[in-house]
Amino acid sequence: STINGEEELEIMAHLYHMWHLIVRNMKGLERKNTAHNDLMYVKTMIEFIQASYEERVSLQDICECGNMGKNKCTSLFWKYTNMSPVDYVRHYRVEKGIELLKYSHMTITEIAYATGFSGASYFAETFRKYMGCSPMQFREKYKKITGGL
């Protein structure tokens, strides 16, 4: 039996519909893979920051670690952390400073340098911005709450 013109058009319509579904689903997979890859890049850059926060870490260093330009790096950080890469570095350093304020007898200056800040005043200024108090005030409040532990 031969296929007439109407049947041929119907078959072609089905083939086009199948191709449309395949292409649409492939785009969905590409978006998922891109999102997964972007997340992996951010994870790599965050791990780099966490491993080297005590040293000088520039935006360029972070970008090179993620193998991308500044715009893409900044965009991905905003998407996944709600902060810029440089803000993430500062925030992470303050978090490490909090640990040292709680559990060490280091001076504020020693903590500043140990957490990668260029000096005690910049550490104190940044700490106050994130925590709403000075490092010394934080340490004193913590000691009162814990009984000096």
Side-chain angles (χ1 to χ4, degrees):
S1 107
T2 61
I3 299 175
N4 65 31
E6 193 174 309
E7 290 171 329
E8 188 176 341
L9 285 174
E10 195 174 318
I11 290 169
M12 292 298 288
H14 285 297
L15 284 173
Y16 284 124
H17 180 69
M18 286 178 9
W19 276 112
H20 172 74
L21 292 174
I22 290 169
V23 168
R24 187 176 71 192
N25 287 326
M26 290 297 286
K27 286 182 181 173
L29 288 174
E30 287 170 10
R31 280 193 294 271
K32 286 179 186 173
N33 286 339
T34 299
H36 176 74
N37 288 342
D38 286 349
L39 195 55
M40 294 308 293
Y41 285 125
V42 171
K43 181 178 180 280
T44 299
M45 291 184 287
I46 286 173
E47 288 171 348
F48 167 75
I49 291 167
Q50 292 176 351
S52 55
Y53 72 94
E54 297 152 317
E55 306 159 18
R56 186 180 175 280
V57 177
S58 70
L59 177 57
Q60 186 62 37
D61 296 331
I62 298 167
C63 293
E64 286 174 8
C65 170
N67 198 27
M68 64 184 65
K70 291 178 182 178
N71 289 341
K72 173 105 178 177
C73 175
T74 301
S75 171
L76 288 178
F77 261 84
W78 275 108
K79 180 177 179 178
Y80 291 104
T81 69
N82 287 327
M83 48 181 110
S84 73
V86 174
D87 285 338
Y88 185 89
V89 171
R90 282 189 209 113
H91 183 267
Y92 190 76
R93 286 174 171 164
V94 167
E95 290 294 320
K96 291 308 214 178
I98 288 170
E99 290 176 24
L100 293 173
L101 287 166
K102 287 179 176 179
Y103 307 116
S104 81
H105 295 290
M106 295 169 73
T107 67
I108 303 302
T109 301
E110 289 170 334
I111 292 172
Y113 289 120
T115 55
F117 285 94
S118 57
S121 61
Y122 183 49
F123 171 62
E125 175 187 327
T126 305
F127 191 94
R128 183 179 298 279
K129 177 182 168 188
Y130 285 102
M131 300 303 296
C133 64
S134 72
M136 188 58 75
Q137 290 168 329
F138 178 88
R139 180 177 261 172
E140 288 168 4
K141 286 180 193 174
Y142 183 76
K143 283 182 181 178
K144 283 181 186 175
I145 291 169
T146 62
L149 298 177

